[in-house]
Amino acid sequence: MAEAEFRSKKGNLTGTLILGALGVVYGDIGTSPLYALKLVLLGLGENAALKPEYLLGSLSLIFWSLTITVTIKYVMLIMRADNNGEGGVLALGTLASRGLRKTSRMRAFFTALAILGFALFVGDSLITPAISVLSAVEGLKTATVAFDHYIVPITLIILVGLFMIQSHGTHRIGAWFGPIMILWFSTIGFLGAFQIMRESSVLEAIDPSYAINMALREPGKVFAVMGFVFLAVTGGEALYADMGHFCARPIRMAWFWIVFPALVLNYFGQGALLMQHPEVLDSIFFEMAPPWALYPLIGLSALATIIASQAVISGLFTVTQQAVSLGFLPRMRIRHTSAREIGQVYVSRMNWLAMLGVVALVLGFRSSDNLGHAYGVAVTGLMMVTTIIAGFVAVSLWRWPVIISVAVFGSLLLVDTVFFASTMLKIFDGGWFPIGIAFILCSIVMVWRHGRGVLYDALYKKVLSSREFITSLNENVPRVPGTAIFMTANVERVPKAMLHNLRHNRVLHERIIFMRVKVLDVPWVSIGDRLELEDLGRNFYTVVAKYGFMDQPDVPQALALLALDGWDIDLKAVSYFLSRETLIASHVPTMGPIEEQLFIALSTAAENATHYFRIPPEQVLELGTQIEI
């Protein structure tokens, strides 16, 4: 009886996770039928919809792209490369680097790839909300030309409203995402199946020979439209990126049972309708619905694209949190919007920057057809990065023979490369936008990491070691009651705040702790492994609080573990000493002049350590120092 009850509960939990995955993971790829096939056929030429060989060839390309890129690559292979349950390019990069020496070239290579993948993700994530919502609102033109001049304003109202509610969190509306997406996938699957029943010959496109023959007859045209074919699989990377929220099994089940069948039915249904009425290509998705269902379908499409946009925005916040924790970006204020869902975070600065980018895209491109030229350029690069790193993980962690890994992931990389090369043809038609964003972000990350290294050397390289300082400390220095926490990035060296305090106040606290917050290359660190404590003698201690890149550092909460371990410590009476560095550009050739100024600006804009580490402000003493870089 107990076993049956357990299985029932387990089944209910899996069903809930599948529902959640539908609402978050599959929003982007689930709304691709709004524009993908239309853009492929338009790319093949004005009369492509009139030619069965082009129509069937295009459907065959889309079907096999979904099968190879999403089903085989992501669902069956890459989702196995989980970093303690977490996915995404940053988690994958840290997984590949694990066990490699910090100074090794391989580790530097995978770190650089992870940074590039992160930047490409951000660059492409701005386009998803714009093209998704715009394509849904454009359905109004199918109903009446009266809305032609209001498409862009309506789109902007929806998108700006979406960004403005982000600070409230998605947990209140998240429960609606799954049911709405079930309705969406059911609807598009039903519409497609209805059209296929009218023209079942369209199913012949499952045969890959249609795609191959079209490619052999028209290699130039097919290569050029592969960038539009790729639109059918954009969002596939979300299966891996959001794995930490729903686990692999529910995501796989949702794909095989619901999403993949619905997408195939809808794409083939669009093809079946075009066989009979090629003139409806411009609004093919909405033409599948009967007249009485047009407005409800437009409304449902708008809801689905809002959900797709929300999923991308939430993913943007998540990868930003990871990047900040791993030291790729300056500290930003990260707020958890749900007490129950760990992954729901809000990053104010990234939210408003993303909103400006999305609004600029809508105003600049003004239609989903135009945005289709900008879409996919960055994400194809991201998929290439993911394939390369996963190939190494297959050898180092899965213990695959090198020849097998090269054969499997090399073949997948070849497909990615074809997509990437084709999307590069769209650079001058709008593809420059996500690439430009990725380039700017990569530059910021490189400057920040280099600058932090230079600053670290300036702060600690020539400073007395902690043990030497304690040994040489004059015993006559007065010790006042209480505990002082000196925050530092290197507990082996004396913090500058400590030296300043001693020089000016000429007293020391009865108990002194040099504390460092260390982020590991794992997503989570258990409470039992949180603290690393060392007694240096004379009532001096070092404490290293270890966190994963998905954890939120909380210094008082970490110190509370000392009280549980038997320490007599009053956390409300503890004094925290932080060093606030004022950076000054110097003529020392450690950084270029532009790099220096950018790093100083980034450091100035970084979130205050007091807030980021959740230290009570009333217990903080900041001691300033000037540093030349």
Side-chain angles (χ1 to χ4, degrees), residues 576-619:
Y576 297 90
F577 289 82
L578 280 72
S579 178
R580 177 179 284 273
E581 298 89 14
T582 300
L583 305 182
I584 301 173
S586 69
H587 300 293
V588 180
T590 52
M591 302 179 75
I594 297 177
E595 192 180 16
E596 276 184 340
Q597 294 300 325
L598 178 56
F599 178 68
I600 291 172
L602 291 172
S603 298
T604 304
E607 174 71 3
N608 186 285
T610 300
H611 293 117
Y612 185 75
F613 294 122
R614 299 189 174 186
I615 303 173
E618 65 277 6
Q619 295 176 241

Coordinates of all heavy atoms in Angstrom, one line a residue, residues 576-619:
Y576 N 31.2 44.6 11.1 CA 31.8 44.2 9.8 C 32.6 45.4 9.3 O 32.2 46.5 9.2 CB 30.7 43.9 8.8 CG 29.8 42.8 9.2 CD1 28.6 43.0 10.0 CD2 30.1 41.5 8.8 CE1 27.8 41.9 10.4 CE2 29.2 40.4 9.2 CZ 28.1 40.6 10.0 OH 27.3 39.6 10.3
F577 N 33.8 45.0 8.9 CA 34.8 46.0 8.3 C 35.0 45.7 6.8 O 35.4 44.6 6.5 CB 36.1 46.0 9.1 CG 36.0 46.6 10.4 CD1 35.6 45.8 11.5 CD2 36.4 47.9 10.7 CE1 35.5 46.3 12.8 CE2 36.3 48.4 12.0 CZ 35.9 47.6 13.0
L578 N 34.7 46.7 6.0 CA 34.9 46.5 4.6 C 35.8 47.6 4.0 O 35.8 48.7 4.5 CB 33.5 46.6 3.8 CG 32.6 45.3 3.8 CD1 32.0 45.1 5.1 CD2 31.5 45.5 2.7
S579 N 36.6 47.2 3.1 CA 37.4 48.2 2.4 C 36.8 48.7 1.1 O 36.3 47.9 0.3 CB 38.8 47.5 2.1 OG 39.6 48.4 1.4
R580 N 36.6 50.0 1.0 CA 36.1 50.6 -0.2 C 37.2 51.2 -1.0 O 37.8 52.2 -0.5 CB 35.0 51.6 0.1 CG 34.4 52.3 -1.1 CD 33.3 53.3 -0.7 NE 32.1 52.6 -0.4 CZ 31.2 52.3 -1.3 NH1 31.4 52.5 -2.6 NH2 30.1 51.7 -1.0
E581 N 37.5 50.6 -2.2 CA 38.6 51.1 -3.0 C 38.2 52.2 -3.9 O 37.2 52.1 -4.6 CB 39.2 50.0 -3.8 CG 39.8 48.8 -2.9 CD 38.8 47.8 -2.6 OE1 37.7 47.7 -3.3 OE2 39.1 46.9 -1.7
T582 N 38.9 53.3 -3.9 CA 38.8 54.3 -4.9 C 39.8 54.1 -6.0 O 41.1 54.2 -5.7 CB 38.9 55.7 -4.3 OG1 37.9 55.9 -3.3 CG2 38.7 56.8 -5.4
L583 N 39.5 53.8 -7.2 CA 40.4 53.4 -8.2 C 40.9 54.7 -9.0 O 40.1 55.5 -9.4 CB 39.8 52.4 -9.2 CG 39.2 51.1 -8.5 CD1 38.7 50.2 -9.6 CD2 40.3 50.4 -7.7
I584 N 42.2 54.7 -9.2 CA 42.8 55.8 -9.9 C 43.6 55.3 -11.1 O 44.4 54.4 -10.9 CB 43.7 56.7 -9.0 CG1 42.9 57.2 -7.8 CG2 44.3 57.8 -9.8 CD1 43.7 57.9 -6.8
A585 N 43.3 55.8 -12.3 CA 44.1 55.4 -13.4 C 45.5 55.9 -13.3 O 45.8 57.0 -12.9 CB 43.5 56.0 -14.7
S586 N 46.4 55.0 -13.6 CA 47.9 55.3 -13.5 C 48.5 55.1 -14.9 O 47.9 54.6 -15.9 CB 48.5 54.3 -12.5 OG 48.6 53.0 -13.0
H587 N 49.8 55.4 -14.9 CA 50.6 55.2 -16.2 C 51.3 53.9 -16.2 O 52.1 53.6 -17.1 CB 51.6 56.3 -16.3 CG 51.0 57.7 -16.4 ND1 50.2 58.1 -17.4 CD2 51.0 58.7 -15.5 CE1 49.7 59.3 -17.2 NE2 50.2 59.7 -16.0
V588 N 51.0 53.0 -15.2 CA 51.6 51.7 -15.2 C 50.9 50.9 -16.3 O 49.7 50.8 -16.4 CB 51.4 51.0 -13.8 CG1 52.1 49.6 -13.8 CG2 52.0 51.9 -12.7
P589 N 51.7 50.2 -17.1 CA 51.1 49.5 -18.3 C 50.5 48.2 -18.0 O 50.8 47.2 -18.6 CB 52.4 49.3 -19.2 CG 53.5 49.2 -18.3 CD 53.2 50.1 -17.1
T590 N 49.6 48.1 -16.9 CA 48.9 46.9 -16.6 C 47.6 46.8 -17.4 O 47.1 45.7 -17.7 CB 48.6 46.8 -15.1 OG1 48.0 48.1 -14.7 CG2 49.9 46.6 -14.3
M591 N 47.0 48.0 -17.8 CA 45.8 48.1 -18.5 C 45.9 49.2 -19.5 O 46.6 50.2 -19.2 CB 44.6 48.2 -17.6 CG 44.4 47.2 -16.6 SD 42.9 47.5 -15.5 CE 41.6 47.1 -16.6
G592 N 45.2 49.1 -20.6 CA 45.2 50.2 -21.6 C 44.3 51.3 -21.0 O 43.5 51.1 -20.1
P593 N 44.5 52.5 -21.6 CA 43.7 53.7 -21.0 C 42.2 53.5 -21.1 O 41.5 53.9 -20.2 CB 44.3 54.9 -21.9 CG 44.9 54.2 -23.1 CD 45.4 52.9 -22.6
I594 N 41.7 53.0 -22.3 CA 40.3 52.8 -22.4 C 39.8 51.7 -21.4 O 38.8 51.8 -20.8 CB 39.9 52.5 -23.9 CG1 40.3 53.7 -24.8 CG2 38.5 52.1 -24.0 CD1 40.0 53.4 -26.2
E595 N 40.6 50.7 -21.4 CA 40.3 49.5 -20.5 C 40.3 50.0 -19.0 O 39.4 49.6 -18.3 CB 41.3 48.4 -20.7 CG 41.0 47.1 -20.0 CD 42.0 46.1 -20.2 OE1 43.2 46.4 -20.6 OE2 41.7 44.9 -20.0
E596 N 41.2 50.9 -18.6 CA 41.2 51.4 -17.3 C 39.9 52.2 -17.0 O 39.3 51.9 -15.9 CB 42.4 52.3 -17.1 CG 43.7 51.7 -16.8 CD 44.8 52.7 -16.5 OE1 44.7 53.8 -17.0 OE2 45.8 52.3 -15.9
Q597 N 39.6 53.1 -17.9 CA 38.4 53.9 -17.6 C 37.1 53.0 -17.6 O 36.2 53.3 -16.7 CB 38.3 55.0 -18.7 CG 39.4 56.0 -18.7 CD 39.5 56.7 -17.4 OE1 38.5 57.0 -16.7 NE2 40.7 57.1 -17.0
L598 N 37.0 52.0 -18.4 CA 35.9 51.2 -18.4 C 35.8 50.4 -17.1 O 34.7 50.2 -16.5 CB 35.9 50.2 -19.6 CG 34.7 49.2 -19.7 CD1 33.4 49.9 -19.7 CD2 34.9 48.3 -21.0
F599 N 36.9 49.8 -16.7 CA 36.9 49.1 -15.4 C 36.6 49.9 -14.2 O 35.8 49.5 -13.3 CB 38.3 48.4 -15.2 CG 38.4 47.7 -13.9 CD1 37.7 46.5 -13.7 CD2 39.2 48.1 -12.9 CE1 37.7 45.8 -12.5 CE2 39.3 47.5 -11.7 CZ 38.5 46.3 -11.5
I600 N 37.1 51.2 -14.2 CA 36.7 52.1 -13.1 C 35.2 52.3 -13.1 O 34.6 52.4 -12.1 CB 37.6 53.4 -13.2 CG1 39.0 53.1 -12.9 CG2 37.0 54.4 -12.3 CD1 39.9 54.3 -13.2
A601 N 34.7 52.6 -14.3 CA 33.2 52.8 -14.4 C 32.4 51.6 -13.9 O 31.4 51.7 -13.2 CB 32.9 53.2 -15.8
L602 N 32.9 50.4 -14.3 CA 32.2 49.2 -13.9 C 32.3 49.0 -12.4 O 31.3 48.6 -11.8 CB 32.8 48.0 -14.6 CG 32.5 47.9 -16.1 CD1 33.4 46.7 -16.7 CD2 31.0 47.6 -16.4
S603 N 33.4 49.3 -11.8 CA 33.6 49.1 -10.4 C 32.7 50.1 -9.6 O 32.1 49.8 -8.6 CB 35.1 49.3 -10.0 OG 35.9 48.4 -10.6
T604 N 32.6 51.3 -10.2 CA 31.8 52.3 -9.5 C 30.3 51.9 -9.6 O 29.6 52.2 -8.6 CB 32.0 53.7 -10.2 OG1 33.4 54.0 -10.2 CG2 31.2 54.8 -9.5
A605 N 29.9 51.3 -10.7 CA 28.5 50.9 -10.8 C 28.1 49.6 -10.1 O 27.0 49.3 -10.0 CB 28.2 50.8 -12.3
A606 N 29.1 48.9 -9.7 CA 28.9 47.6 -9.0 C 28.1 47.8 -7.7 O 28.2 48.8 -7.0 CB 30.2 46.9 -8.7
E607 N 27.2 46.8 -7.5 CA 26.4 46.8 -6.3 C 27.3 46.8 -5.0 O 28.3 46.1 -4.9 CB 25.5 45.5 -6.2 CG 24.7 45.3 -5.0 CD 23.6 46.3 -4.8 OE1 23.4 47.2 -5.7 OE2 22.9 46.3 -3.8
N608 N 26.9 47.6 -4.0 CA 27.6 47.7 -2.8 C 27.7 46.3 -2.1 O 26.7 45.6 -2.1 CB 26.9 48.7 -1.9 CG 27.7 48.9 -0.6 OD1 27.7 48.1 0.3 ND2 28.3 50.1 -0.5
A609 N 28.9 46.0 -1.6 CA 29.1 44.6 -1.0 C 28.2 44.4 0.2 O 27.8 43.3 0.4 CB 30.6 44.5 -0.6
T610 N 27.9 45.5 0.9 CA 27.0 45.4 2.0 C 25.7 44.8 1.7 O 25.2 43.9 2.3 CB 26.8 46.7 2.7 OG1 28.1 47.2 3.1 CG2 25.9 46.6 3.9
H611 N 25.1 45.3 0.6 CA 23.8 44.8 0.1 C 23.9 43.5 -0.5 O 23.1 42.6 -0.3 CB 23.2 45.8 -0.8 CG 22.8 47.1 -0.2 ND1 23.4 48.3 -0.6 CD2 22.0 47.5 0.8 CE1 22.9 49.3 0.1 NE2 22.0 48.8 1.0
Y612 N 24.9 43.3 -1.3 CA 25.1 42.0 -2.1 C 25.2 40.8 -1.2 O 24.7 39.8 -1.4 CB 26.3 42.1 -3.1 CG 26.4 40.9 -4.0 CD1 25.5 40.7 -5.0 CD2 27.3 39.9 -3.7 CE1 25.6 39.6 -5.9 CE2 27.4 38.8 -4.5 CZ 26.6 38.7 -5.6 OH 26.6 37.6 -6.4
F613 N 26.0 41.0 -0.1 CA 26.3 39.9 0.8 C 25.3 39.9 2.0 O 25.4 39.2 3.0 CB 27.7 40.0 1.4 CG 28.7 39.7 0.3 CD1 29.7 40.7 0.1 CD2 28.7 38.6 -0.4 CE1 30.7 40.4 -0.9 CE2 29.7 38.3 -1.4 CZ 30.7 39.3 -1.6
R614 N 24.2 40.8 1.9 CA 23.1 40.8 2.9 C 23.6 41.1 4.3 O 23.2 40.5 5.3 CB 22.3 39.5 2.8 CG 21.7 39.3 1.4 CD 20.7 38.2 1.5 NE 20.0 38.1 0.2 CZ 19.0 37.2 -0.1 NH1 18.6 36.4 0.9 NH2 18.5 37.2 -1.3
I615 N 24.6 42.0 4.4 CA 25.1 42.4 5.7 C 24.3 43.6 6.2 O 24.0 44.5 5.5 CB 26.6 42.8 5.6 CG1 27.4 41.7 5.0 CG2 27.2 43.2 6.9 CD1 28.9 42.0 4.7
P616 N 23.9 43.5 7.5 CA 23.1 44.7 8.0 C 23.9 46.0 7.9 O 25.0 46.1 8.5 CB 22.9 44.3 9.5 CG 23.0 42.8 9.5 CD 24.1 42.5 8.5
P617 N 23.4 47.0 7.2 CA 24.2 48.2 7.0 C 24.6 48.9 8.3 O 25.6 49.6 8.4 CB 23.2 49.1 6.2 CG 22.2 48.1 5.6 CD 22.1 47.0 6.5
E618 N 23.7 48.8 9.3 CA 24.0 49.5 10.6 C 25.2 48.9 11.3 O 25.7 49.5 12.3 CB 22.8 49.5 11.5 CG 22.3 48.2 12.0 CD 21.4 47.4 11.0 OE1 21.3 48.0 9.9 OE2 20.9 46.4 11.4
Q619 N 25.7 47.7 10.9 CA 26.8 47.1 11.6 C 28.1 47.1 10.7 O 29.0 46.5 11.1 CB 26.4 45.6 11.9 CG 25.3 45.4 12.9 CD 24.9 43.9 13.0 OE1 23.8 43.5 12.7 NE2 25.9 43.1 13.4

